[in-house]
Amino acid sequence: MNPQLIESASWRIVTELVRRYPDTFVVVETHPAEGMYNCLSLFNKDLGHAADFNRYGYFRVFGRFDGVREMPEPLEIWPALINAFSPKEVLDRVADMLGLPHPPKMPASTPATMVYRFISAALGQAVFGVTPWECHSGMVGTLNQGIGIPNPDLNHFPGAVARLATSLAGDFLGIPAFRFWLVYREGKPVVCLETTGTAWDSDGKAYELYKLYAKDRRIWPLVWQVMGQHLG
């Protein structure tokens, strides 16, 4: 499967799941088994490590929200997406695996979900293109090998570095760097985002995503405003 498509699709499905259940998950990039796997993992303050989206394999559940102790069989996520009539079908299956109810409508975006939506849109524009795009955490390392260190590429964004000194109540493991994500074009960081809703472009300019989105409630113009110089 095309690596760029995997990068985009993995972020899209995680984003849509987090949009359904705002304030339920923290998204963490993990590399279990001494770096053998490349996952977007979901953590919850009550359940702990709830699930993994292995980029090249399965969606696997480690904790359910309905109290059921028996875990479902892992879902081979990419064939499921390819064969589904709509991505909603797969999201419903993932929600069922986690023991989550299906929301009657999509909740309003939070600052964190706005950041994930931005990442998904930024990566989606590159699908089937020749320029590689990626998104990586503000923390480098694997959870089973110790926490690691803040991503050195954060130093390209002075505003983000200043924010690293601020601890917030919801910080994963109490570490501010987990709030940050970096979008890369051809291996170079071009945008840094904090799940509080702030983004910094490659010139160091800061953007309040939630406020900008409120103007016309469309995500793509927001992506273009922040990183248009790197698109196309």
Side-chain angles (χ1 to χ4, degrees):
M1 192 169 174
N2 182 296
Q4 187 66 74
L5 181 58
I6 288 176
E7 180 77 3
S8 175
S10 60
W11 268 103
R12 176 64 65 184
I13 194 167
V14 167
T15 295
E16 294 306 315
L17 183 68
V18 173
R19 285 185 72 191
R20 277 189 173 200
Y21 309 101
D23 303 317
T24 299
F25 298 108
V26 174
V27 181
V28 180
E29 181 181 355
T30 62
H31 299 273
E34 298 184 350
M36 182 180 300
Y37 300 109
N38 180 5
C39 302
L40 290 176
S41 297
L42 302 174
F43 288 81
N44 172 267
K45 60 182 177 62
D46 297 316
L47 292 179
H49 192 176
D52 279 345
F53 280 95
N54 179 14
R55 311 269 195 135
Y56 291 90
Y58 292 81
F59 174 70
R60 190 180 303 271
V61 171
F62 304 109
R64 291 174 59 95
F65 289 82
D66 55 5
V68 174
R69 302 187 69 176
E70 183 177 354
M71 295 301 109
E73 289 295 317
L75 172 65
E76 198 168 358
I77 193 72
W78 305 128
L81 276 171
I82 291 170
N83 294 319
F85 178 77
S86 164
K88 182 180 180 299
E89 295 177 14
V90 179
L91 284 167
D92 286 345
R93 290 179 66 182
V94 167
D96 292 341
M97 292 172 70
L98 286 162
L100 286 166
H102 300 180
K105 63 178 182 179
M106 189 70 76
S109 289
T110 66
T113 57
M114 185 62 59
V115 166
Y116 299 139
R117 291 178 65 190
F118 183 102
I119 293 170
S120 292
L123 296 174
Q125 56 82 29
V127 171
F128 301 121
V130 297
T131 302
W133 288 77
E134 302 170 281
C135 181
H136 293 293
S137 174
M139 285 295 290
V140 176
T142 61
L143 292 182
N144 63 329
Q145 292 177 306
I147 298 304
I149 60 172
N151 190 329
D153 287 332
L154 287 169
N155 292 320
H156 291 274
F157 305 92
V161 173
R163 287 285 296 164
L164 281 172
T166 302
S167 296
L168 300 179
D171 286 345
F172 182 66
L173 300 179
I175 300 174
F178 278 111
R179 298 197 307 264
F180 296 84
W181 294 92
L182 296 104
V183 177
Y184 293 78
R185 183 182 190 272
E186 294 185 297
K188 297 180 181 179
V190 295
V191 175
C192 179
L193 304 107
E194 183 183 5
T195 54
T196 56
T198 302
W200 294 268
D201 65 17
S202 55
D203 295 323
K205 182 179 178 181
Y207 302 82
E208 295 301 322
L209 299 182
Y210 202 80
K211 293 180 181 178
L212 292 172
Y213 176 79
K215 293 181 179 180
D216 61 10
R217 307 192 68 79
R218 292 190 300 153
I219 196 68
W220 181 245
L222 183 58
V223 173
W224 184 264
Q225 182 175 352
V226 176
M227 53 184 290
Q229 62 178 308
H230 300 290
L231 300 177

mmCIF file of all heavy atoms in Angstrom, residues 100-150:
data_model
loop_
_atom_site.group_PDB
_atom_site.id
_atom_site.type_symbol
_atom_site.label_atom_id
_atom_site.label_comp_id
_atom_site.label_asym_id
_atom_site.label_seq_id
_atom_site.Cartn_x
_atom_site.Cartn_y
_atom_site.Cartn_z
ATOM 1 N N LEU A 100 -18.180 1.985 22.530
ATOM 2 C CA LEU A 100 -18.666 3.357 22.545
ATOM 3 C C LEU A 100 -19.994 3.465 21.800
ATOM 4 O O LEU A 100 -20.172 2.830 20.747
ATOM 5 C CB LEU A 100 -17.645 4.290 21.893
ATOM 6 C CG LEU A 100 -16.388 4.597 22.702
ATOM 7 C CD1 LEU A 100 -15.331 5.230 21.803
ATOM 8 C CD2 LEU A 100 -16.698 5.507 23.881
ATOM 9 N N PRO A 101 -20.942 4.268 22.297
ATOM 10 C CA PRO A 101 -22.209 4.459 21.572
ATOM 11 C C PRO A 101 -21.989 5.302 20.328
ATOM 12 O O PRO A 101 -21.051 6.108 20.262
ATOM 13 C CB PRO A 101 -23.071 5.203 22.595
ATOM 14 C CG PRO A 101 -22.080 5.951 23.439
ATOM 15 C CD PRO A 101 -20.864 5.063 23.540
ATOM 16 N N HIS A 102 -22.859 5.122 19.335
ATOM 17 C CA HIS A 102 -22.774 5.938 18.133
ATOM 18 C C HIS A 102 -23.456 7.278 18.394
ATOM 19 O O HIS A 102 -24.634 7.305 18.756
ATOM 20 C CB HIS A 102 -23.447 5.239 16.948
ATOM 21 C CG HIS A 102 -22.832 3.921 16.613
ATOM 22 N ND1 HIS A 102 -23.284 3.130 15.581
ATOM 23 C CD2 HIS A 102 -21.802 3.232 17.185
ATOM 24 C CE1 HIS A 102 -22.563 2.016 15.521
ATOM 25 N NE2 HIS A 102 -21.678 2.062 16.485
ATOM 26 N N PRO A 103 -22.754 8.390 18.220
ATOM 27 C CA PRO A 103 -23.379 9.689 18.487
ATOM 28 C C PRO A 103 -24.457 9.996 17.448
ATOM 29 O O PRO A 103 -24.296 9.676 16.259
ATOM 30 C CB PRO A 103 -22.205 10.668 18.387
ATOM 31 C CG PRO A 103 -21.217 9.981 17.500
ATOM 32 C CD PRO A 103 -21.361 8.519 17.770
ATOM 33 N N PRO A 104 -25.559 10.628 17.852
ATOM 34 C CA PRO A 104 -26.622 10.957 16.886
ATOM 35 C C PRO A 104 -26.180 11.985 15.856
ATOM 36 O O PRO A 104 -26.696 12.008 14.732
ATOM 37 C CB PRO A 104 -27.740 11.504 17.783
ATOM 38 C CG PRO A 104 -27.062 11.937 19.041
ATOM 39 C CD PRO A 104 -25.903 11.014 19.222
ATOM 40 N N LYS A 105 -25.238 12.843 16.224
ATOM 41 C CA LYS A 105 -24.688 13.806 15.266
ATOM 42 C C LYS A 105 -23.260 14.117 15.685
ATOM 43 O O LYS A 105 -22.843 13.828 16.815
ATOM 44 C CB LYS A 105 -25.524 15.079 15.208
ATOM 45 C CG LYS A 105 -25.571 15.850 16.511
ATOM 46 C CD LYS A 105 -26.398 17.123 16.333
ATOM 47 C CE LYS A 105 -26.418 17.942 17.636
ATOM 48 N NZ LYS A 105 -27.195 19.197 17.464
ATOM 49 N N MET A 106 -22.511 14.717 14.760
ATOM 50 C CA MET A 106 -21.117 15.030 15.036
ATOM 51 C C MET A 106 -21.040 16.194 16.026
ATOM 52 O O MET A 106 -21.604 17.255 15.782
ATOM 53 C CB MET A 106 -20.379 15.388 13.756
ATOM 54 C CG MET A 106 -18.873 15.509 13.932
ATOM 55 S SD MET A 106 -18.066 13.922 14.245
ATOM 56 C CE MET A 106 -18.083 13.213 12.586
ATOM 57 N N PRO A 107 -20.347 16.008 17.166
ATOM 58 C CA PRO A 107 -20.214 17.120 18.122
ATOM 59 C C PRO A 107 -19.395 18.271 17.525
ATOM 60 O O PRO A 107 -18.667 18.099 16.544
ATOM 61 C CB PRO A 107 -19.467 16.475 19.302
ATOM 62 C CG PRO A 107 -19.643 14.999 19.127
ATOM 63 C CD PRO A 107 -19.729 14.777 17.650
ATOM 64 N N ALA A 108 -19.511 19.427 18.141
ATOM 65 C CA ALA A 108 -18.718 20.578 17.717
ATOM 66 C C ALA A 108 -17.232 20.296 17.935
ATOM 67 O O ALA A 108 -16.851 19.591 18.879
ATOM 68 C CB ALA A 108 -19.136 21.818 18.504
ATOM 69 N N SER A 109 -16.408 20.813 17.051
ATOM 70 C CA SER A 109 -14.969 20.606 17.164
ATOM 71 C C SER A 109 -14.413 21.335 18.381
ATOM 72 O O SER A 109 -14.832 22.442 18.709
ATOM 73 C CB SER A 109 -14.243 21.109 15.915
ATOM 74 O OG SER A 109 -14.497 20.266 14.820
ATOM 75 N N THR A 110 -13.467 20.690 19.045
ATOM 76 C CA THR A 110 -12.703 21.310 20.119
ATOM 77 C C THR A 110 -11.388 21.819 19.535
ATOM 78 O O THR A 110 -11.040 21.486 18.386
ATOM 79 C CB THR A 110 -12.419 20.296 21.225
ATOM 80 O OG1 THR A 110 -11.542 19.274 20.701
ATOM 81 C CG2 THR A 110 -13.703 19.653 21.741
ATOM 82 N N PRO A 111 -10.605 22.599 20.289
ATOM 83 C CA PRO A 111 -9.293 22.998 19.771
ATOM 84 C C PRO A 111 -8.426 21.811 19.375
ATOM 85 O O PRO A 111 -7.733 21.854 18.347
ATOM 86 C CB PRO A 111 -8.685 23.782 20.940
ATOM 87 C CG PRO A 111 -9.869 24.379 21.632
ATOM 88 C CD PRO A 111 -10.940 23.325 21.540
ATOM 89 N N ALA A 112 -8.468 20.725 20.144
ATOM 90 C CA ALA A 112 -7.661 19.549 19.813
ATOM 91 C C ALA A 112 -8.144 18.891 18.527
ATOM 92 O O ALA A 112 -7.343 18.545 17.653
ATOM 93 C CB ALA A 112 -7.669 18.553 20.962
ATOM 94 N N THR A 113 -9.455 18.700 18.379
ATOM 95 C CA THR A 113 -9.948 18.068 17.155
ATOM 96 C C THR A 113 -9.708 18.953 15.942
ATOM 97 O O THR A 113 -9.515 18.458 14.835
ATOM 98 C CB THR A 113 -11.440 17.698 17.263
ATOM 99 O OG1 THR A 113 -12.218 18.861 17.577
ATOM 100 C CG2 THR A 113 -11.661 16.651 18.340
ATOM 101 N N MET A 114 -9.702 20.270 16.150
ATOM 102 C CA MET A 114 -9.385 21.175 15.043
ATOM 103 C C MET A 114 -7.955 20.938 14.560
ATOM 104 O O MET A 114 -7.676 20.945 13.353
ATOM 105 C CB MET A 114 -9.560 22.628 15.500
ATOM 106 C CG MET A 114 -9.370 23.655 14.406
ATOM 107 S SD MET A 114 -10.588 23.485 13.080
ATOM 108 C CE MET A 114 -12.103 23.708 14.017
ATOM 109 N N VAL A 115 -7.037 20.709 15.496
ATOM 110 C CA VAL A 115 -5.653 20.424 15.121
ATOM 111 C C VAL A 115 -5.579 19.120 14.342
ATOM 112 O O VAL A 115 -4.910 19.037 13.295
ATOM 113 C CB VAL A 115 -4.762 20.361 16.383
ATOM 114 C CG1 VAL A 115 -3.411 19.727 16.066
ATOM 115 C CG2 VAL A 115 -4.565 21.751 16.948
ATOM 116 N N TYR A 116 -6.268 18.082 14.797
ATOM 117 C CA TYR A 116 -6.242 16.801 14.083
ATOM 118 C C TYR A 116 -6.880 16.931 12.705
ATOM 119 O O TYR A 116 -6.405 16.329 11.725
ATOM 120 C CB TYR A 116 -6.961 15.721 14.897
ATOM 121 C CG TYR A 116 -6.333 15.455 16.247
ATOM 122 C CD1 TYR A 116 -7.121 15.244 17.367
ATOM 123 C CD2 TYR A 116 -4.948 15.424 16.406
ATOM 124 C CE1 TYR A 116 -6.548 15.002 18.613
ATOM 125 C CE2 TYR A 116 -4.371 15.187 17.642
ATOM 126 C CZ TYR A 116 -5.175 14.981 18.744
ATOM 127 O OH TYR A 116 -4.608 14.744 19.964
ATOM 128 N N ARG A 117 -7.938 17.707 12.593
ATOM 129 C CA ARG A 117 -8.565 17.933 11.286
ATOM 130 C C ARG A 117 -7.606 18.657 10.353
ATOM 131 O O ARG A 117 -7.551 18.359 9.146
ATOM 132 C CB ARG A 117 -9.863 18.725 11.452
ATOM 133 C CG ARG A 117 -10.978 17.958 12.137
ATOM 134 C CD ARG A 117 -12.216 18.825 12.322
ATOM 135 N NE ARG A 117 -12.780 19.195 11.026
ATOM 136 C CZ ARG A 117 -13.751 20.108 10.876
ATOM 137 N NH1 ARG A 117 -14.210 20.756 11.924
ATOM 138 N NH2 ARG A 117 -14.223 20.374 9.670
ATOM 139 N N PHE A 118 -6.873 19.613 10.889
ATOM 140 C CA PHE A 118 -5.875 20.334 10.086
ATOM 141 C C PHE A 118 -4.832 19.355 9.567
ATOM 142 O O PHE A 118 -4.476 19.380 8.369
ATOM 143 C CB PHE A 118 -5.227 21.415 10.946
ATOM 144 C CG PHE A 118 -4.237 22.283 10.213
ATOM 145 C CD1 PHE A 118 -4.584 23.549 9.797
ATOM 146 C CD2 PHE A 118 -2.949 21.828 9.932
ATOM 147 C CE1 PHE A 118 -3.674 24.352 9.114
ATOM 148 C CE2 PHE A 118 -2.036 22.611 9.253
ATOM 149 C CZ PHE A 118 -2.396 23.879 8.844
ATOM 150 N N ILE A 119 -4.317 18.501 10.435
ATOM 151 C CA ILE A 119 -3.301 17.522 10.021
ATOM 152 C C ILE A 119 -3.851 16.615 8.927
ATOM 153 O O ILE A 119 -3.189 16.366 7.916
ATOM 154 C CB ILE A 119 -2.829 16.697 11.228
ATOM 155 C CG1 ILE A 119 -2.063 17.586 12.214
ATOM 156 C CG2 ILE A 119 -1.952 15.534 10.773
ATOM 157 C CD1 ILE A 119 -1.774 16.929 13.545
ATOM 158 N N SER A 120 -5.066 16.118 9.111
ATOM 159 C CA SER A 120 -5.672 15.220 8.123
ATOM 160 C C SER A 120 -5.814 15.896 6.766
ATOM 161 O O SER A 120 -5.525 15.297 5.724
ATOM 162 C CB SER A 120 -7.045 14.745 8.606
ATOM 163 O OG SER A 120 -6.926 13.903 9.721
ATOM 164 N N ALA A 121 -6.258 17.156 6.776
ATOM 165 C CA ALA A 121 -6.418 17.882 5.509
ATOM 166 C C ALA A 121 -5.069 18.146 4.861
ATOM 167 O O ALA A 121 -4.919 18.018 3.637
ATOM 168 C CB ALA A 121 -7.166 19.189 5.753
ATOM 169 N N ALA A 122 -4.076 18.517 5.665
ATOM 170 C CA ALA A 122 -2.748 18.801 5.118
ATOM 171 C C ALA A 122 -2.138 17.567 4.475
ATOM 172 O O ALA A 122 -1.507 17.647 3.404
ATOM 173 C CB ALA A 122 -1.832 19.333 6.219
ATOM 174 N N LEU A 123 -2.313 16.416 5.094
ATOM 175 C CA LEU A 123 -1.769 15.180 4.532
ATOM 176 C C LEU A 123 -2.612 14.675 3.365
ATOM 177 O O LEU A 123 -2.083 14.086 2.421
ATOM 178 C CB LEU A 123 -1.700 14.098 5.618
ATOM 179 C CG LEU A 123 -0.755 14.395 6.790
ATOM 180 C CD1 LEU A 123 -0.896 13.307 7.854
ATOM 181 C CD2 LEU A 123 0.689 14.494 6.326
ATOM 182 N N GLY A 124 -3.910 14.924 3.417
ATOM 183 C CA GLY A 124 -4.793 14.435 2.369
ATOM 184 C C GLY A 124 -4.517 15.038 1.012
ATOM 185 O O GLY A 124 -4.679 14.378 -0.017
ATOM 186 N N GLN A 125 -4.057 16.287 0.996
ATOM 187 C CA GLN A 125 -3.797 16.935 -0.294
ATOM 188 C C GLN A 125 -2.612 16.305 -1.026
ATOM 189 O O GLN A 125 -2.431 16.514 -2.216
ATOM 190 C CB GLN A 125 -3.559 18.437 -0.093
ATOM 191 C CG GLN A 125 -2.442 18.803 0.877
ATOM 192 C CD GLN A 125 -1.038 18.779 0.298
ATOM 193 O OE1 GLN A 125 -0.859 19.018 -0.904
ATOM 194 N NE2 GLN A 125 -0.064 18.464 1.130
ATOM 195 N N ALA A 126 -1.807 15.503 -0.299
ATOM 196 C CA ALA A 126 -0.606 14.929 -0.906
ATOM 197 C C ALA A 126 -0.797 13.513 -1.418
ATOM 198 O O ALA A 126 0.124 12.943 -2.008
ATOM 199 C CB ALA A 126 0.536 14.939 0.114
ATOM 200 N N VAL A 127 -1.980 12.935 -1.193
ATOM 201 C CA VAL A 127 -2.211 11.550 -1.616
ATOM 202 C C VAL A 127 -2.016 11.421 -3.126
ATOM 203 O O VAL A 127 -2.536 12.217 -3.902
ATOM 204 C CB VAL A 127 -3.624 11.100 -1.208
ATOM 205 C CG1 VAL A 127 -3.954 9.748 -1.827
ATOM 206 C CG2 VAL A 127 -3.727 11.009 0.309
ATOM 207 N N PHE A 128 -1.231 10.432 -3.522
ATOM 208 C CA PHE A 128 -0.892 10.141 -4.926
ATOM 209 C C PHE A 128 -0.004 11.212 -5.550
ATOM 210 O O PHE A 128 0.233 11.204 -6.764
ATOM 211 C CB PHE A 128 -2.154 9.944 -5.778
ATOM 212 C CG PHE A 128 -3.037 8.835 -5.300
ATOM 213 C CD1 PHE A 128 -4.349 9.082 -4.944
ATOM 214 C CD2 PHE A 128 -2.555 7.542 -5.173
ATOM 215 C CE1 PHE A 128 -5.161 8.075 -4.492
ATOM 216 C CE2 PHE A 128 -3.356 6.524 -4.707
ATOM 217 C CZ PHE A 128 -4.672 6.783 -4.369
ATOM 218 N N GLY A 129 0.490 12.133 -4.734
ATOM 219 C CA GLY A 129 1.454 13.105 -5.236
ATOM 220 C C GLY A 129 2.866 12.537 -5.184
ATOM 221 O O GLY A 129 3.105 11.443 -4.682
ATOM 222 N N VAL A 130 3.814 13.295 -5.716
ATOM 223 C CA VAL A 130 5.207 12.835 -5.757
ATOM 224 C C VAL A 130 6.020 13.364 -4.575
ATOM 225 O O VAL A 130 7.134 12.900 -4.334
ATOM 226 C CB VAL A 130 5.888 13.255 -7.084
ATOM 227 C CG1 VAL A 130 5.188 12.600 -8.261
ATOM 228 C CG2 VAL A 130 5.893 14.778 -7.247
ATOM 229 N N THR A 131 5.471 14.339 -3.841
ATOM 230 C CA THR A 131 6.184 14.919 -2.701
ATOM 231 C C THR A 131 5.731 14.243 -1.417
ATOM 232 O O THR A 131 4.540 14.236 -1.113
ATOM 233 C CB THR A 131 5.912 16.429 -2.608
ATOM 234 O OG1 THR A 131 6.314 17.053 -3.832
ATOM 235 C CG2 THR A 131 6.683 17.038 -1.451
ATOM 236 N N PRO A 132 6.656 13.672 -0.643
ATOM 237 C CA PRO A 132 6.258 12.994 0.597
ATOM 238 C C PRO A 132 5.920 13.979 1.717
ATOM 239 O O PRO A 132 6.655 14.937 1.960
ATOM 240 C CB PRO A 132 7.492 12.155 0.959
ATOM 241 C CG PRO A 132 8.642 12.864 0.318
ATOM 242 C CD PRO A 132 8.097 13.504 -0.922
ATOM 243 N N TRP A 133 4.800 13.725 2.375
ATOM 244 C CA TRP A 133 4.357 14.486 3.532
ATOM 245 C C TRP A 133 4.155 13.525 4.697
ATOM 246 O O TRP A 133 3.685 12.396 4.508
ATOM 247 C CB TRP A 133 3.042 15.203 3.245
ATOM 248 C CG TRP A 133 3.159 16.370 2.307
ATOM 249 C CD1 TRP A 133 3.294 16.321 0.950
ATOM 250 C CD2 TRP A 133 3.133 17.749 2.655
ATOM 251 N NE1 TRP A 133 3.359 17.585 0.426
ATOM 252 C CE2 TRP A 133 3.256 18.479 1.459
ATOM 253 C CE3 TRP A 133 2.996 18.437 3.854
ATOM 254 C CZ2 TRP A 133 3.258 19.873 1.434
ATOM 255 C CZ3 TRP A 133 2.999 19.814 3.846
ATOM 256 C CH2 TRP A 133 3.128 20.525 2.639
ATOM 257 N N GLU A 134 4.501 13.987 5.906
ATOM 258 C CA GLU A 134 4.332 13.172 7.099
ATOM 259 C C GLU A 134 3.944 14.058 8.275
ATOM 260 O O GLU A 134 4.093 15.277 8.207
ATOM 261 C CB GLU A 134 5.641 12.457 7.466
ATOM 262 C CG GLU A 134 6.218 11.561 6.413
ATOM 263 C CD GLU A 134 7.620 11.109 6.790
ATOM 264 O OE1 GLU A 134 8.558 11.903 6.604
ATOM 265 O OE2 GLU A 134 7.745 9.973 7.305
ATOM 266 N N CYS A 135 3.487 13.417 9.344
ATOM 267 C CA CYS A 135 3.250 14.130 10.587
ATOM 268 C C CYS A 135 3.825 13.306 11.729
ATOM 269 O O CYS A 135 3.604 12.089 11.791
ATOM 270 C CB CYS A 135 1.755 14.368 10.814
ATOM 271 S SG CYS A 135 1.388 15.284 12.331
ATOM 272 N N HIS A 136 4.579 13.959 12.608
ATOM 273 C CA HIS A 136 5.205 13.264 13.729
ATOM 274 C C HIS A 136 5.006 14.031 15.024
ATOM 275 O O HIS A 136 4.783 15.239 15.030
ATOM 276 C CB HIS A 136 6.691 13.045 13.468
ATOM 277 C CG HIS A 136 6.970 12.092 12.357
ATOM 278 N ND1 HIS A 136 6.663 10.752 12.435
ATOM 279 C CD2 HIS A 136 7.501 12.296 11.132
ATOM 280 C CE1 HIS A 136 7.009 10.162 11.310
ATOM 281 N NE2 HIS A 136 7.515 11.073 10.490
ATOM 282 N N SER A 137 5.131 13.317 16.096
ATOM 283 C CA SER A 137 4.888 13.850 17.425
ATOM 284 C C SER A 137 5.970 14.826 17.872
ATOM 285 O O SER A 137 7.114 14.788 17.384
ATOM 286 C CB SER A 137 4.804 12.690 18.421
ATOM 287 O OG SER A 137 4.705 13.157 19.746
ATOM 288 N N GLY A 138 5.608 15.649 18.844
ATOM 289 C CA GLY A 138 6.585 16.510 19.497
ATOM 290 C C GLY A 138 7.481 15.771 20.460
ATOM 291 O O GLY A 138 8.391 16.366 21.047
ATOM 292 N N MET A 139 7.248 14.445 20.614
ATOM 293 C CA MET A 139 8.117 13.595 21.413
ATOM 294 C C MET A 139 8.742 12.539 20.513
ATOM 295 O O MET A 139 8.075 11.986 19.641
ATOM 296 C CB MET A 139 7.335 12.901 22.522
ATOM 297 C CG MET A 139 6.981 13.810 23.674
ATOM 298 S SD MET A 139 8.425 14.412 24.578
ATOM 299 C CE MET A 139 8.989 12.923 25.380
ATOM 300 N N VAL A 140 10.003 12.272 20.719
ATOM 301 C CA VAL A 140 10.728 11.256 19.963
ATOM 302 C C VAL A 140 11.051 10.117 20.920
ATOM 303 O O VAL A 140 11.606 10.343 22.001
ATOM 304 C CB VAL A 140 12.027 11.815 19.357
ATOM 305 C CG1 VAL A 140 12.803 10.709 18.652
ATOM 306 C CG2 VAL A 140 11.707 12.943 18.382
ATOM 307 N N GLY A 141 10.724 8.893 20.518
ATOM 308 C CA GLY A 141 10.999 7.737 21.367
ATOM 309 C C GLY A 141 9.822 6.791 21.348
ATOM 310 O O GLY A 141 8.795 7.031 20.705
ATOM 311 N N THR A 142 9.951 5.677 22.051
ATOM 312 C CA THR A 142 8.878 4.701 22.137
ATOM 313 C C THR A 142 8.532 4.486 23.591
ATOM 314 O O THR A 142 9.395 4.473 24.459
ATOM 315 C CB THR A 142 9.303 3.359 21.508
ATOM 316 O OG1 THR A 142 10.425 2.855 22.230
ATOM 317 C CG2 THR A 142 9.677 3.527 20.046
ATOM 318 N N LEU A 143 7.240 4.324 23.863
ATOM 319 C CA LEU A 143 6.810 4.233 25.240
ATOM 320 C C LEU A 143 7.423 3.048 25.967
ATOM 321 O O LEU A 143 7.686 3.095 27.160
ATOM 322 C CB LEU A 143 5.279 4.151 25.303
ATOM 323 C CG LEU A 143 4.539 5.428 24.883
ATOM 324 C CD1 LEU A 143 3.051 5.231 25.030
ATOM 325 C CD2 LEU A 143 4.991 6.615 25.720
ATOM 326 N N ASN A 144 7.633 1.931 25.256
ATOM 327 C CA ASN A 144 8.173 0.756 25.939
ATOM 328 C C ASN A 144 9.692 0.811 26.068
ATOM 329 O O ASN A 144 10.302 -0.064 26.643
ATOM 330 C CB ASN A 144 7.764 -0.539 25.212
ATOM 331 C CG ASN A 144 8.331 -0.619 23.801
ATOM 332 O OD1 ASN A 144 8.512 0.393 23.154
ATOM 333 N ND2 ASN A 144 8.593 -1.824 23.335
ATOM 334 N N GLN A 145 10.312 1.868 25.545
ATOM 335 C CA GLN A 145 11.754 2.045 25.696
ATOM 336 C C GLN A 145 12.066 3.294 26.518
ATOM 337 O O GLN A 145 13.166 3.819 26.465
ATOM 338 C CB GLN A 145 12.422 2.171 24.317
ATOM 339 C CG GLN A 145 12.398 0.896 23.484
ATOM 340 C CD GLN A 145 13.017 1.128 22.123
ATOM 341 O OE1 GLN A 145 12.629 2.032 21.392
ATOM 342 N NE2 GLN A 145 13.992 0.308 21.779
ATOM 343 N N GLY A 146 11.101 3.725 27.297
ATOM 344 C CA GLY A 146 11.247 4.994 27.991
ATOM 345 C C GLY A 146 10.555 6.086 27.204
ATOM 346 O O GLY A 146 10.165 5.903 26.057
ATOM 347 N N ILE A 147 10.360 7.221 27.816
ATOM 348 C CA ILE A 147 9.551 8.278 27.220
ATOM 349 C C ILE A 147 10.222 8.910 26.018
ATOM 350 O O ILE A 147 9.586 9.252 25.043
ATOM 351 C CB ILE A 147 9.235 9.356 28.274
ATOM 352 C CG1 ILE A 147 8.419 8.729 29.408
ATOM 353 C CG2 ILE A 147 8.466 10.514 27.667
ATOM 354 C CD1 ILE A 147 7.160 8.056 28.940
ATOM 355 N N GLY A 148 11.524 9.066 26.044
ATOM 356 C CA GLY A 148 12.203 9.714 24.941
ATOM 357 C C GLY A 148 12.498 11.167 25.254
ATOM 358 O O GLY A 148 12.583 11.568 26.422
ATOM 359 N N ILE A 149 12.624 11.976 24.221
ATOM 360 C CA ILE A 149 12.984 13.386 24.371
ATOM 361 C C ILE A 149 12.086 14.230 23.465
ATOM 362 O O ILE A 149 11.509 13.724 22.504
ATOM 363 C CB ILE A 149 14.461 13.626 23.988
ATOM 364 C CG1 ILE A 149 14.689 13.227 22.520
ATOM 365 C CG2 ILE A 149 15.393 12.866 24.926
ATOM 366 C CD1 ILE A 149 16.068 13.615 21.995
ATOM 367 N N PRO A 150 11.961 15.527 23.754
ATOM 368 C CA PRO A 150 11.239 16.392 22.822
ATOM 369 C C PRO A 150 11.880 16.353 21.435
ATOM 370 O O PRO A 150 13.106 16.291 21.298
ATOM 371 C CB PRO A 150 11.360 17.782 23.458
ATOM 372 C CG PRO A 150 11.546 17.509 24.909
ATOM 373 C CD PRO A 150 12.359 16.246 24.970
#
